[in-house]
Amino acid sequence: MNKEHIFDKKDNYNLIDDFISTRERLNKIVMDRADIVIKRFYSLDSQTYREGVLKSKVKEMLGLVSSLVLRCDDCIKYHLNQCFNENISTSEIVEVMSVGLVVGGSIVIPHLRRAFEFWTALEKDRFDKIIISIKEKIEDINLNSNILDKEKKEEILNFVCKICSEKIPYYNWFGFYLTSDKDDNILELGPFLGEPTEHVRIPFGKGICGQAAEKKETFIVNDISEEANYLACSLKVKSELVTPIIRNGKVLGEIDIDSHFLNSFSDMDKDFNEELAKLIEPFI
Ligand code: SME
């Protein structure tokens, strides 16, 4: 299912902004009236989630499970937002939601729907913001007429590697393979961020990268242990997404992403990377 059809951009922003701004506004009203009991309770609440023996990330996940079981939508949204800011990956959140559902039972389901809607909005917002930054970078690069095309290409590819690796917690290896100038059927390793890889040259058809190049379409493997035609880079990798960069039917290269989590990639990741590929294509 294409998430573009589920989410209208405007609704998406309203969902997050409305929640955050309403919460802030109401907290101001509470603090205006608060006595020592209310103030101390508020302070205790924030102290509880600070890094302790348990990491903040773990505490936020516990908060999310409790909120699901207690069926408090505002609390669920709050902890989802905190989990997002703690760089918790989507596949981790799915498992947290499963625990909440099983402990709370089927009465949690309506809250689970809204929880997934909110999480999806957070993800969509992050993808949209990254695309905006990349478009701004492209404008900057194009305004600078003093640099060579080769330098422009390096700059944009490195920028995309950096922003995607930094902003998306489950993009654990992010890089480019570019079609060789000498052989149209070979992919050569380009700029990347993550652990070094031995796969510096990949023939079309081989591995996930080679298959995506041959089929000229995005390949998502959400569990690499089930993919026979796979070139292993690191034992940590659990899932992979590859999107070809195409001009006039010719594969110029591709975006390759490895994730250390199972089931990392959704249709939103596919849409995002296909948009990235289109933005990058003129530079290759
Ligand atoms: N796993 C890829 C090879 C490239 S590394 O992930 C960086 C594949 O199967 O094509």
Side-chain angles (χ1 to χ4, degrees), residues 40 53 55 65 72 99 157 181 188 200 207 224 236 247 256 270:
R40 286 196 174 164
V53 178
K55 302 245 173 262
V65 168
C72 165
V99 177
L157 296 189
D181 291 338
E188 289 172 348
V200 290
I224 51 93
K236 289 188 199 146
R247 184 188 302 143
D256 180 19
K270 178 176 182 284

Side-chain angles (χ1 to χ4, degrees), residues 207-259:
I208 299 170
C209 292
Q211 291 182 77
E214 199 173 60
K215 298 238 165 71
K216 299 184 183 175
E217 61 189 36
T218 297
F219 245 69
I220 293 180
V221 178
N222 265 323
D223 180 356
I224 51 93
S225 71
E226 288 180 1
E227 174 60 49
N229 189 358
Y230 170 69
L231 303 167
C233 278
S234 144
L235 289 176
K236 289 188 199 146
V237 178
K238 302 277 193 302
S239 49
E240 180 160 352
L241 176 152
V242 180
T243 296
I245 304 167
I246 300 170
R247 184 188 302 143
N248 301 330
K250 182 180 178 324
V251 175
L252 305 178
E254 54 191 29
I255 301 166
D256 180 19
I257 307 165
D258 287 343
S259 173

Side-chain angles (χ1 to χ4, degrees), residues 1 20 52 58 64 70 93 107 130 138 141-142 164-165 251 271:
M1 209 186 316
I20 293 172
V58 174
L64 177 56
L70 292 168
I93 279 296
I107 204 161
I130 297 174
I138 289 175
I141 292 176
N142 283 337
C164 291
S165 302
V251 175
D271 292 346

